[in-house]
Amino acid sequence: GNLTFTACKNISIISNTFTHLGAVGLEFSHGCVDNKIIGNRFQDISGSGIQIGGLNNIKTKWSKLPEEAWTLPKNNLIQNNIITKIGEEYFDACGIIAFYTDSTIIEHNEIYDIPYSGISVGWGWNNAKTSAGNNKVRYNRIHNLMQKLMDGGGIYTLSAQPGTEISYNYIHHQNNEYGMLYPDEGSSYMHWHHNVTKAGVRWLHMWTATIQNNKVENNYHDTETATINGTLCVVENNPFIQNNAWPKEAIDI
């Protein structure tokens, strides 16, 4: 990250502009808790806009020693940011990416004009429970995405995250595949609800048996195509909207 914090608490990054940067715009690495990223603009960045957590030292299983828990980013807030034209050189970058985290809140952000996925949460490609969970991705607007790459989506997740909710997001005008809502390998124990997806190739991509114990309900979509192959997942009451006849609840979202 151009601006990187490690093992920090109660840091507030408010009303700044991150622009014309290489790598990631802003990073909160391992051991960061109770921090706020509010009201910033991220534009013209080589990699991702915002990154929370990392890949090492935080794959803590519930059975491991409690001393390892300090490495897990926890209770961080990402709110009311504008993120656009990131991934200018590294196309596989995301607007916001969170790896192993606990109780990360990502809400009321607008992400648009990007080469790949909007928001990515999780890591690991398996459904074993780790310390990750209780993350909330809600009330975000993500549009004009997947402009260069495939195999991504508006909101993309990996691995088990008990207590995590993906809700009240509006995702529209997604190019390429796969899913506007995309719980990838191992995505488990999550609740996906009250999202609106419009003008994309596939509204939901839940493609393999390692995706387990999720509930996907009350999501509105005008693209009938979906892939539903998870294990012990409930997918119900997701209205397919035709002829632009969106009901009031979807319009409100």
Side-chain angles (χ1 to χ4, degrees), residues 15 22 41 53 56 75 86 88 92 117 127 162 175 210 227 246:
S15 300
R41 184 178 185 91
N56 299 318
N75 296 332
I86 56 86
E88 290 288 273
D92 56 340
S117 298
N127 52 37
N175 298 323
T210 64
T227 305
W246 298 93

Side-chain angles (χ1 to χ4, degrees), residues 5 23 25 102 122 126 129 167 170 176 186 190-191 204 210 227 229 232 245:
F5 295 90
D102 182 8
N126 67 78
K129 290 183 179 179
S167 60
Y170 177 32
N176 295 325
M190 290 183 265
H191 190 190
L204 174 67
T210 64
T227 305
N229 291 323
L232 300 175

Side-chain angles (χ1 to χ4, degrees), residues 4 49 56 69 94 116 123 129 159 188 215 220:
T4 298
N56 299 318
C94 303
Y116 187 50
W123 200 250
K129 290 183 179 179
S159 300
S188 302
K215 192 168 187 178
Y220 297 89

